[in-house]
Amino acid sequence: MGLMARSPSTDTVTSSGRASDGSPVDPQDPRMRAWRAFLHAHAAVMRELEAQLVAERGMTLAEYDALVQLASAPGARLRMSDLASRVLLSRSGVTRLVDRLETEGLVQRESCGSDARGSFAALTPAGVRCLREAMPVHLRGIGQVFMDVIGDDDAAVVERAMSAVAEASGRPIPGHTPRPRRSDRAVPSDG
């Protein structure tokens, strides 16, 4: 992952690590410490959640995520390209993932009547059962490695910050209504 951040003096940064005005991004900027903390925390949390799912259910986090995405979709099915977008995998990556899930009987492919080249991944009854059995493991893990670690005030800050990052990246959190930032809130007048 690149070190994309905003320079204290500007609002945008190019992929070269320079601000839009050409000045270098300051590695001592406090937001860079936040970036590094995010990377470390994300890696640690994902490793732990994956380890718990593998140990207790023999399932990877990507497999779990795919089943969750399918279960929450209308008709418990998604076009392969939509599933790839939701689980943040390439099309070839989601194809391999669905191949594994199909071999295990958790997902089945269905042809797309309107597009001969397209196909759907659909959750099977066995996939629903597997998801129901894995969900308590995953939710317990989230509680242990995330929710129990941060307080309510910090949770609101993390939610607001990560929502802003997702929205700015063009991938807003589905179904999430961004909370107004402090600078966006109306300031009460004296009169």
Side-chain angles (χ1 to χ4, degrees):
M1 294 186 186
L3 296 177
M4 297 289 291
R6 286 185 280 168
S7 168
S9 62
T10 64
D11 286 334
T12 59
V13 171
T14 65
S15 60
S16 67
R18 293 196 171 273
S20 58
D21 67 359
S23 65
V25 174
D26 180 2
Q28 300 307 313
D29 183 319
R31 292 169 294 188
M32 291 301 291
R33 289 194 307 274
W35 171 247
R36 288 187 292 272
F38 163 75
L39 289 177
H40 286 279
H42 179 268
V45 166
M46 299 311 271
R47 273 194 300 268
E48 181 59 28
L49 294 176
E50 173 108 11
Q52 290 177 9
L53 276 172
V54 168
E56 294 186 43
R57 302 303 319 155
M59 169 185 285
T60 67
L61 199 50
E63 291 166 341
Y64 177 84
D65 189 22
L67 296 180
V68 166
Q69 297 305 323
L70 290 170
S72 65
R77 70 184 201 152
L78 287 167
R79 288 182 69 102
M80 293 288 286
S81 58
D82 293 334
L83 181 59
S85 177
R86 288 188 184 196
V87 297
L88 306 178
L89 288 174
S90 66
R91 287 186 185 196
S92 62
V94 84
T95 297
R96 290 188 298 274
L97 176 63
V98 169
D99 286 345
R100 288 193 310 269
L101 294 172
E102 192 172 33
T103 298
E104 296 172 23
L106 306 178
V107 169
Q108 67 185 23
R109 280 192 174 84
E110 297 176 354
S111 60
C112 178
S114 63
D115 180 2
R117 295 176 300 145
S119 65
F120 289 93
L123 194 59
T124 65
V128 172
R129 283 190 303 277
C130 183
L131 180 59
R132 284 189 181 140
E133 292 167 0
M135 195 171 285
V137 174
H138 187 61
L139 294 177
R140 183 186 72 232
I142 292 170
Q144 291 169 343
V145 300
F146 186 78
M147 295 170 64
D148 293 350
V149 177
I150 63 173
D152 291 342
D153 290 343
D154 288 337
V157 171
V158 170
E159 177 190 1
R160 190 170 49 251
M162 294 301 102
S163 296
V165 169
E167 194 169 311
S169 73
R171 296 185 74 109
I173 300 168
H176 184 269
T177 303
R179 292 184 182 187
R181 296 180 190 189
R182 287 184 185 161
S183 61
D184 295 341
R185 294 183 190 144
V187 177
S189 65
D190 292 335

